[in-house]
Amino acid sequence: MRPSLLPHLVCAVTLVAAACGGGEEAEPVADAAPAPAPTVTVQIVEPAEGATVGPDVRVVLRTTGIEIAPIDPPVPGTGHHHLYLDADLTPLDQVIPAGNPNIVHKGDGTTEHTFTGVAPGRHRIIALVANPAHIPIAPPVADTVMFTVRG
């Protein structure tokens, strides 16, 4: 920098500082509150609570606050559905087990499933949202519906 410009630069900085409050200490600006995390919900839309249905039971799910996506490739922050037909929830901090015919993994990212040939009587479906690693999201997000299959 040329020495002859230095006094002009000091003057300009002084004027800007004076226009912005001068030498007074500015009050700290409170950090903006972080946006609240979206509330994640899942709802079993079909069958309705208390419905009587045929031996083929169509399940339709509605989810808010999280993107439901296929697990392949895994995308952090997304989820997928698991359906428990007449089965209790497995530990919520562990991988949901495979190989149980009453626990359906919807790793394809779909939001509908049909259980075929369900025995007559009263039944329960629990829908649970899990991350791409098949571990329930925290806090757990689930919905339960009781229904009857006509005999």
Side-chain angles (χ1 to χ4, degrees):
M1 176 181 300
R2 293 189 328 210
S4 61
L5 291 179
L6 187 57
H8 297 287
L9 181 59
V10 170
C11 181
V13 169
T14 303
L15 287 173
V16 169
C20 294
E24 298 174 19
E25 238 179 83
E27 290 190 31
V29 176
D31 288 337
T39 300
V40 179
T41 65
V42 64
Q43 178 187 12
I44 300 171
V45 177
E46 236 180 89
E49 177 67 32
T52 299
V53 296
D56 293 345
V57 181
R58 180 174 179 236
V59 180
V60 178
L61 305 163
R62 180 182 306 134
T63 310
T64 62
I66 191 169
E67 179 185 355
I68 299 299
I71 61 170
D72 190 24
V75 177
T78 64
H80 68 284
H81 296 292
H82 291 81
L83 299 172
Y84 292 69
L85 175 62
D86 299 326
D88 292 331
L89 290 177
T90 52
L92 297 174
D93 61 347
Q94 297 177 18
V95 173
I96 298 169
N100 181 334
N102 289 1
I103 301 174
V104 174
H105 294 254
K106 300 300 290 176
D108 59 359
T110 58
T111 59
E112 295 186 16
H113 181 78
T114 300
F115 289 98
T116 58
V118 179
R122 192 145 168 81
H123 296 276
R124 175 186 71 185
I125 293 177
I126 301 172
L128 180 67
V129 179
N131 68 22
H134 294 286
I135 297 172
I137 64 172
V141 175
D143 190 25
T144 303
V145 167
M146 302 294 293
F147 63 97
T148 301
V149 173
R150 54 177 127 352

